[in-house]
Amino acid sequence: MSKPIYIILLLFVTSPILQAKDSIFNTIFLKVATDLTYKDPDRAIHISDSLFTHSTDRLHKLSALMLSANVYYRKGNLKQALQYGQKAENIAKTIKDYDWLVRIHGFYSSIYRDIRFIDEGLAHLEIVDALSPKVKDKGKRNVIDILNTQSKAYFHLLNNNPDAALDQLNQGVPLYSDLENSSVGPYHIGNSEEFRGRMFLLNKEYEKSAEAYQNALSALRKIDLEETYPVYGYIYSGMGQLQVQKDSLDAAKTYLDKAQAIAALNKNTDLSLFYNKYLQSYHSKRKNWEDYAATADTIKFLEKKVENEVSLLLQNLFGEIQEKKDRDKAKVQNYKAIIFIGMGVIGGLLLFSYKRKKRHKLYVDSILEKIETLNVAKPSTVKKSKRKSENAETIKLNISEDTLHRIKESLNEFEQDTLFLDPSINAASIASYCQTNVRYLSYVINTYRNESVSAYINRLRVTYILSKLKNDPTYRTYKISHLADEAGFSSHSKFSSEFKRVVGISPSIFISKLS
């Protein structure tokens, strides 16, 4: 695991439990998070699932889900990690816990960075930026913001854009003054300065690079951080390379030896690769060609190891070997075997495939257009005579125009929220949300939404899933039962029935055509 991802998980997964009220839950959680996750991940998952099952507090349930997500992440099971994260996200949205929403989207960005999905990862970091101002604690906001600059910089570096990476890191420098006096602030400053030193080194701005590395060491020494942490390995590797550029090869060797010891201790592939690239430069300067060649072989081995790790993560996430995107070198490796039996047959198949895809595209386009209007009820088209009876019913119920307007406005707000995903939502809870009674609410939904309260709730749930299927391709890989559960339906069959009522086709057929 690379250093920046480790830092993000430190914030986005483990820290919120410190605010939990239940001391027993807190004790078990911390034991799993800090010990069992690494020593016995299978038992850690069993305990965290048990915490979820037996907890009545929604914040505890959310915490338990993210604990499981983190364990699955560390096991390399990204598909399960995402699924648990999405369940936790639904709870966080329902209770409007912005601290947790920030951490969850930071967690998503770590997953997408592991598989080199740069655009997707950056999109989640943009969500973190939007949510950060809603976090009440200023100290937490500062940590979130500095971590976000580091994360975005790492994505830009993966995308072979060091200038954009440095620009992101420089945006974090004004945060240092607020961070340096906190307990964890110097650690984050040290990481940012190491990263800036690395970027200056790439740009051959050696004086700025040396200054940044010294700033990193000064920050880390404020908290007496042991020199076994990976961040020191990156710092000493960079300082060794600076000495190589100055032809101070004895000093360079001293720094590189320190970096090698830290990389070996942490068994960190990313750090080992980073260190060996600078070591190769040192051997070149020394003209130690035998050592140079051996280091080149080590670099190839580590690069292949990273490539294999990414391929395995992709395979786990999507259930099959995916095309490996290498955005740094613009290469795409394909895992396909196509047997051609006669040019005539191929021509026929291509023609058939073209026509079929065209028909599917037209069909899917029509459904996608429909999705945009489904979340808004059709305007009432009742005749004048029926309008009179409605006015009479309004008078009979003693509903004033002001009350009608307030209920309709509250329903508009309810439709923009995700409370309807709660399986226990009903007419009484919606009436409470709208600050009215069930009779008034039913009248307004029947008259102005043209449907019963239960049909209204189910339509909102279906359109929520439709939006997810349209905008997030990973949802198209989920089982129907998982979609039903996330939408708040009591059963797979109920979800399928309501989906077909709203859309016109079953969810499985819709997903197959959308894919």
Side-chain angles (χ1 to χ4, degrees):
M1 181 180 295
S2 64
K3 171 183 65 67
I5 294 175
Y6 171 80
I7 298 169
I8 285 177
L9 289 177
L10 188 66
L11 172 77
F12 287 134
V13 176
T14 60
S15 62
I17 193 61
L18 297 177
Q19 298 180 3
K21 297 177 181 179
D22 189 327
S23 60
I24 297 176
F25 179 94
N26 192 19
T27 300
I28 297 173
F29 183 101
L30 289 174
K31 173 67 175 176
V32 174
T34 60
D35 187 19
L36 290 180
T37 294
Y38 308 95
K39 294 181 179 178
D40 192 348
D42 291 333
R43 184 160 176 255
I45 289 171
H46 175 75
I47 295 175
S48 57
D49 284 345
S50 179
L51 284 175
F52 173 80
T53 302
H54 294 96
S55 295
T56 56
D57 183 86
R58 284 191 290 186
L59 181 59
H60 286 178
K61 283 185 173 291
L62 190 161
S63 302
L65 286 169
M66 283 308 295
L67 182 57
S68 295
N70 185 40
V71 179
Y72 278 118
Y73 174 87
R74 293 185 178 280
K75 288 183 67 176
N77 191 336
L78 301 191
K79 187 171 184 178
Q80 287 282 43
L82 272 176
Q83 289 178 357
Y84 274 83
Q86 286 156 355
K87 289 179 182 179
E89 182 186 359
N90 288 334
I91 296 176
K93 285 180 178 178
T94 300
I95 64 178
K96 296 184 178 179
D97 190 316
Y98 299 112
D99 286 13
W100 261 119
L101 285 172
V102 162
R103 295 179 177 96
I104 290 168
H105 283 286
F107 180 70
Y108 291 159
S109 77
S110 299
I111 291 176
Y112 285 119
R113 181 165 52 191
D114 271 4
I115 57 176
R116 305 300 190 258
F117 279 21
I118 295 172
D119 293 338
E120 291 83 350
L122 285 172
H124 282 288
L125 294 178
E126 292 299 333
I127 294 174
V128 171
D129 274 339
L131 291 171
S132 179
K134 296 182 179 181
V135 176
K136 295 179 181 180
D137 188 290
K138 183 181 178 182
K140 285 185 180 178
R141 287 201 307 273
N142 288 334
V143 173
I144 289 167
D145 292 341
I146 196 71
L147 284 172
N148 230 25
T149 61
Q150 294 173 17
S151 302
K152 287 181 180 180
Y154 197 84
F155 273 112
H156 288 310
L157 191 58
L158 285 176
N159 209 22
N160 200 27
N161 192 344
D163 290 337
L166 183 57
D167 181 63
Q168 281 294 331
L169 293 166
N170 287 338
Q171 290 180 36
V173 173
L175 298 169
Y176 291 0
S177 57
D178 289 327
L179 285 167
E180 59 188 4
N181 294 322
S182 70
S183 59
V184 297
Y187 179 72
H188 300 304
I189 293 172
N191 279 288
S192 283
E193 284 299 289
E194 179 281 314
F195 213 159
R196 290 178 75 236
R198 196 191 312 183
M199 295 303 98
F200 285 130
L201 188 54
L202 279 175
N203 291 338
K204 297 183 173 17
E205 298 180 72
Y206 299 128
E207 289 186 8
K208 290 183 178 180
S209 179
E211 181 183 358
Y213 282 131
Q214 287 299 330
N215 289 341
L217 289 174
S218 297
L220 296 173
R221 285 166 181 163
K222 285 183 180 179
I223 53 175
D224 295 326
L225 190 70
E226 293 182 6
E227 290 199 3
T228 56
Y229 275 69
V231 60
Y232 282 107
Y234 290 93
I235 292 172
Y236 289 135
S237 294
M239 294 178 76
Q241 179 65 4
L242 281 172
Q243 296 301 318
V244 169
Q245 298 300 325
K246 293 167 59 177
D247 288 327
S248 299
L249 300 184
D250 290 339
K253 187 64 166 58
T254 300
Y255 286 126
L256 290 171
D257 284 346
K258 287 185 177 182
Q260 191 276 333
I262 296 168
L265 183 65
N266 285 275
K267 298 180 181 179
N268 187 315
T269 304
D270 181 78
L271 175 55
S272 295
L273 182 58
F274 186 82
Y275 150 76
N276 274 282
K277 287 181 178 179
Y278 285 153
L279 180 64
Q280 187 180 41
S281 175
Y282 166 81
H283 287 317
S284 175
K285 203 79 169 181
R286 284 281 196 191
K287 301 188 186 311
N288 296 334
W289 302 120
E290 186 175 344
D291 291 335
Y292 179 93
T295 304
D297 289 340
T298 300
I299 291 171
K300 287 181 181 178
F301 169 77
L302 292 171
E303 287 177 337
K304 186 64 176 177
K305 184 178 179 182
V306 170
E307 182 180 325
N308 289 339
E309 288 173 353
V310 172
S311 295
L312 287 173
L313 290 172
L314 281 169
Q315 185 177 359
N316 164 260
L317 184 58
F318 297 109
E320 60 185 6
I321 296 177
Q322 298 285 323
E323 292 182 345
K324 166 72 168 65
K325 295 181 180 180
D326 188 344
R327 295 179 184 269
D328 294 325
K329 299 179 181 178
K331 294 188 302 185
V332 177
Q333 297 179 345
N334 297 319
Y335 300 89
K336 297 179 179 179
I338 303 173
I339 302 176
F340 293 95
I341 308 175
M343 294 303 296
V345 175
I346 293 173
L349 288 174
L350 288 175
L351 180 61
F352 174 78
S353 176
Y354 170 77
K355 291 182 177 180
R356 184 182 179 187
K357 287 181 180 178
K358 187 175 182 181
R359 286 198 305 271
H360 278 192
K361 185 178 186 304
L362 291 173
Y363 185 83
V364 170
D365 286 347
S366 68
I367 294 176
L368 295 180
E369 289 176 6
K370 189 177 180 181
I371 291 175
E372 304 300 330
T373 61
L374 283 176
N375 204 39
V376 180
K378 296 179 181 178
S380 180
T381 57
V382 295
K383 296 181 179 179
K384 185 175 182 181
S385 60
K386 192 172 181 181
R387 289 289 186 194
K388 290 181 179 179
S389 66
E390 289 173 1
N391 292 336
E393 179 68 14
T394 304
I395 295 171
K396 181 179 177 182
L397 291 174
N398 294 321
I399 306 178
S400 67
E401 287 297 323
D402 288 342
T403 300
L404 275 175
H405 177 74
R406 177 175 55 77
I407 295 173
K408 287 190 283 185
E409 285 296 311
S410 295
L411 281 177
N412 289 336
E413 293 176 7
F414 177 76
E415 290 165 9
Q416 299 304 313
D417 211 330
T418 55
L419 292 176
F420 51 80
L421 298 177
D422 189 333
S424 64
I425 200 78
N426 55 27
S429 52
I430 300 176
S432 175
Y433 181 94
C434 297
Q435 298 182 341
T436 186
N437 58 57
V438 172
R439 193 178 179 195
Y440 283 11
L441 175 78
S442 298
Y443 169 75
V444 172
I445 290 178
N446 291 340
T447 304
Y448 297 97
R449 296 296 192 267
N450 300 314
E451 55 195 342
S452 67
V453 176
S454 61
Y456 168 72
I457 294 171
N458 289 336
R459 173 172 55 79
L460 293 177
R461 290 170 172 172
V462 168
T463 54
Y464 169 84
I465 292 298
L466 284 170
S467 177
K468 289 290 188 180
L469 290 170
K470 177 183 177 182
N471 299 315
D472 190 345
T474 59
Y475 269 71
R476 303 169 198 170
T477 67
Y478 295 162
K479 293 181 179 179
I480 302 300
S481 58
H482 174 81
L483 298 178
D485 180 62
E486 179 166 334
F489 283 96
S490 58
S491 67
H492 174 294
S493 59
K494 181 66 174 176
F495 169 68
S496 297
S497 173
E498 288 299 305
F499 191 99
K500 189 170 184 179
R501 177 182 69 82
V502 174
V503 180
I505 58 175
S506 70
S508 57
I509 294 176
F510 176 81
I511 292 171
S512 68
K513 293 188 179 295
L514 185 62
S515 300

